[in-house]
Amino acid sequence: MNKRPNFILFVTDQQPAGLLGCEGQPLARTPALDALAAQGCLFDAFHVATPLCQPNRATLMTSRLPSLHGVQMNGRELPHGERTFVELLRAAGWRTALVGKAHLQNITTTPPAWPAPGEPRRPLAARHPAPGAHGQELWQRWEDDPAHELELPYYGFEEVALSIGHADEQHGHWRRWLRAHAPDAERLIGPGAALPAPGLALAAHRQAWRTALPEELHPTRWVAERCCELLERWAAEGGRASAGAPGGQPFFLQCSFPEPHHPYTPPGRWWDLVRPDDVPLPASFDAPLHDPPSAVRALREAAARGTARKSGHGVFACTAREAREALALNLGSLGFIDDAVARVHATLRRIGLDDDTVLAFTSDHGDMLGDRGLLLKGGLHYRALTRVPFVWRDTAARRRPGRCAALAQTLDIGTTVLERAGVEPAQGMQGVSLLGLMNGPIDRSIAPPADRQIAAPIDDRVPPTRPHLLIEEEGQRRDFGWSQRVRMRTLLTPRHRLTLWAGQDAGELVDLHEDPLELRNLWADPSRHGLRAQLTEQLARAMMEAAETSPYPERAA
């Protein structure tokens, strides 16, 4: 009988592809993640289902697009009626736990931007509220009620230790732990307590500060240490046999870091791991753009007028200094995260379960980080926002190191885990297993592309799992001076990207082979009108294919 594998899924928050050493970033200090990539399969064309936190995390859990699971935008909670791949693992005998950021329910008390104040709001929604407890992750509930806890299991997780929010101001279990271990905790966190950082341009917009919190008290270290404690406890409770031997109880652990999401606050030595002056700007930072979409034009015009909104969560046109600071602090945060991954991996080896455990690494979405002179996210589908890292390192008996250039997506992670576990996916899960790609012919060279913005070469030896990807986005805000909130869909093929915005006459069409930096919008090019029509039809068909198929009918009529 084969051993049932364990799984550890590392997830970061707002990390575009291209910032790891294994992806070709020369300033990266990520030896632990680079080692996992060298032992496993690194995907070069892995994209999100939507470049927003809450919706894509719901897609990770359900293997379904946001238009199906219902969390199309931030501010909507994952209905308890949606079946998750973690629930299926638990039902099949896996122990399950999540440590760190969940964000499957709302975390803030900020009112929604849609409908806008003063606009009509109907009192009833078309659907009845889903049964089950909601609002469990709201940070204020954790502050107001010291006894507040999640109702377990939480979307399939039997054990959960939460860190809620961003930067050094997080809440949940981490804040309770911090207060127990540091009586002066409140004087260590937030921009008001920050250490001096002369000349820090992002500090003026509350997008970065030098935290006074030492790294041993930081949420990133706390996530790693809680994961290590959990692994050691599981091993002690059942011995080595319980987690890896035939008939024993394996585990699935999601180790979810709330960084490097803005505000950028890597602690201690990680703050100046990379100096902004040493960071080159992205090749597209001030490159000429040919017929850019109205969203990009609006952002650049706002910056030229001095009216760019730089203090929130939405994308804005940044200065060269701001871009360099953001890149440097992201690299510092990822160095700290890599150190945390190394600690968890060392514990796994110490308890003797490394050979029996699949390790995977990804992120929930990207960050523009200076791409075409922009920072943060929202309303755009450039690869800086949609392409994220994905590494899969299998158990010792099934490791085949290499790279894969085939298109893949966040919704494929859960179905890949289920196939590896030998568990049947639920009907209506849209992800496809990536095991065939990793077990088939793959590029054995670990040499990465020279620049993170340059498209990975298409490897004709890799049969594509998908001929295209569908990327969705539903926003709350009326960005870019538009009269309606952002709504958009993208079709991504190995060669082209087509993006449409609701309410906008023009879209965006890019040839990724001829224009890997996505600088030339071919939408209005008369010579590409046939291609535009063809891709628009493909997008329509992709949306039709993605329509709901669950549940099966119960009768003929």
Side-chain angles (χ1 to χ4, degrees):
M1 180 186 294
N2 292 326
K3 295 180 180 179
R4 296 188 295 171
N6 310 303
F7 300 91
I8 300 180
L9 174 61
F10 297 101
V11 182
T12 62
D13 194 352
Q14 197 165 294
Q15 177 190 344
L19 295 182
L20 304 179
C22 58
E23 295 176 306
Q25 173 51 255
L27 297 177
R29 301 293 183 270
T30 53
L33 291 168
D34 297 345
L36 289 184
Q39 295 175 350
C41 187
L42 173 64
F43 282 72
D44 287 319
F46 193 90
H47 291 258
V48 299
T50 181
L52 296 172
C53 298
Q54 212 166 343
N56 204 55
R57 287 172 179 267
T59 286
L60 170 65
M61 293 294 292
T62 62
S63 293
R64 284 156 62 82
L65 287 166
S67 54
L68 270 65
H69 60 58
V71 189
Q72 293 100 323
M73 60 186 70
N74 285 335
R76 284 182 178 166
E77 300 191 330
L78 181 62
H80 288 287
E82 288 289 316
R83 202 181 304 276
T84 71
F85 81 92
V86 181
E87 288 182 66
L88 298 178
L89 283 177
R90 180 171 177 264
W94 269 256
R95 298 180 107 165
T96 58
L98 180 148
V99 178
K101 181 173 182 177
H103 206 179
L104 300 174
Q105 295 188 6
N106 296 333
I107 62 175
T108 77
T109 56
T110 306
W114 173 65
E119 289 185 341
R121 184 186 184 99
R122 291 180 174 174
L124 297 177
R127 287 192 177 99
H128 290 283
H134 290 272
Q136 298 185 72
E137 295 186 47
L138 291 171
W139 72 267
Q140 193 67 56
R141 291 188 67 177
W142 292 80
E143 288 297 296
D144 293 345
D145 181 4
H148 174 66
E149 289 289 347
L150 300 175
E151 292 188 9
L152 300 176
Y154 191 63
Y155 297 102
F157 292 109
E158 298 169 329
E159 299 185 53
V160 179
L162 282 185
S163 193
I164 302 168
H166 303 114
D168 63 0
E169 301 177 298
Q170 297 173 39
H171 294 271
H173 292 108
W174 170 76
R175 182 71 74 95
R176 292 177 182 173
W177 172 89
L178 177 67
R179 288 170 175 155
H181 287 77
D184 59 344
E186 306 303 326
R187 298 201 302 269
L188 297 173
I189 59 179
L195 302 175
L200 181 66
L202 288 173
H205 315 296
R206 208 181 183 274
Q207 296 294 6
W209 58 85
R210 186 163 194 169
T211 180
L213 200 65
E215 62 180 85
E216 61 269 19
L217 297 179
H218 194 275
T220 294
R221 177 66 63 80
W222 176 84
V223 169
E225 290 183 348
R226 300 293 80 72
C227 287
C228 292
E229 290 172 1
L230 196 60
L231 291 171
E232 290 169 344
R233 174 163 60 81
W234 281 346
E237 286 174 355
R240 186 174 305 178
S242 70
Q249 187 175 20
F251 63 80
F252 175 88
L253 171 61
Q254 185 166 318
C255 179
S256 187
F257 300 105
E259 284 78 34
H261 193 289
H262 67 284
Y264 313 116
T265 60
R269 59 191 165 123
W270 307 104
W271 174 267
D272 48 16
L273 180 71
V274 178
R275 298 189 318 128
D277 290 343
D278 295 335
V279 179
L281 290 171
S284 68
F285 179 80
D286 53 7
L289 303 179
H290 175 75
D291 194 21
S294 61
V296 174
R297 291 199 304 271
L299 293 169
R300 290 193 165 191
E301 290 166 1
R305 293 192 304 266
T307 59
R309 185 180 62 188
K310 297 187 176 185
S311 59
H313 288 282
V315 63
F316 64 87
C318 61
T319 65
R321 179 65 188 180
E322 290 164 347
R324 286 191 169 98
E325 288 177 356
L327 281 161
L329 294 174
N330 267 259
L331 292 169
S333 289
L334 288 172
F336 190 24
I337 289 169
D338 187 83
D339 177 79
V341 170
R343 292 171 184 270
V344 175
H345 197 183
T347 298
L348 193 66
R349 288 191 293 263
R350 186 170 61 255
I351 62 176
L353 293 178
D354 185 38
D355 287 349
D356 301 319
T357 303
V358 175
L359 300 178
F361 177 86
T362 194
S363 190
D364 62 353
H365 57 79
D367 185 324
M368 291 300 288
L369 289 180
D371 184 9
R372 70 209 58 240
L374 305 176
L375 199 61
L376 306 187
K377 63 182 184 293
L380 302 169
H381 283 178
Y382 297 108
R383 283 175 295 170
L385 294 181
T386 69
R387 192 165 73 94
V388 294
F390 182 60
V391 174
W392 177 279
R393 194 223 65 170
D394 216 310
T395 57
R398 296 180 56 145
R399 287 176 201 160
R400 296 186 70 245
R403 295 177 78 99
C404 181
L407 291 174
Q409 203 166 22
T410 301
L411 50 81
D412 299 330
I413 294 176
T415 43
T416 302
V417 169
L418 291 175
E419 182 179 356
R420 184 64 183 87
V423 177
E424 185 77 15
Q427 185 258 335
M429 285 185 167
Q430 298 171 304
V432 298
S433 172
L434 303 175
L435 290 184
L437 285 172
M438 292 182 278
N439 293 332
I442 56 177
D443 187 351
R444 299 228 169 243
S445 170
I446 201 65
D451 185 283
R452 75 178 180 92
Q453 295 192 77
I454 295 177
I458 301 300
D459 184 352
D460 292 332
R461 294 175 295 163
V462 181
T465 300
R466 300 175 177 276
H468 54 251
L469 301 178
L470 175 61
I471 300 174
E472 305 178 338
E473 184 167 348
E474 296 276 338
Q476 291 192 28
R477 300 187 305 267
R478 295 176 178 178
D479 289 334
F480 319 127
W482 292 352
S483 61
Q484 65 180 67
R485 64 186 179 89
V486 172
R487 309 186 71 188
M488 55 192 301
R489 298 292 187 270
T490 285
L491 179 84
L492 183 68
T493 76
R495 177 158 185 168
H496 297 101
R497 174 175 62 82
L498 178 80
T499 298
L500 300 178
W501 289 267
Q504 301 298 308
D505 293 334
E508 191 170 26
L509 170 59
V510 179
D511 187 320
L512 300 172
H513 284 189
E514 296 178 358
D515 178 24
L517 297 184
E518 302 179 271
L519 302 177
R520 292 180 55 81
N521 182 13
L522 304 174
W523 177 269
D525 185 339
S527 68
R528 309 297 180 106
H529 283 179
L531 174 64
R532 189 178 86 185
Q534 176 187 349
L535 292 173
T536 302
E537 180 183 348
Q538 281 187 248
L539 174 60
R541 292 184 181 279
M543 294 173 67
M544 185 164 56
E545 291 166 2
E548 181 67 276
T549 62
S550 183
Y552 291 125
E554 296 180 4
R555 297 289 187 273

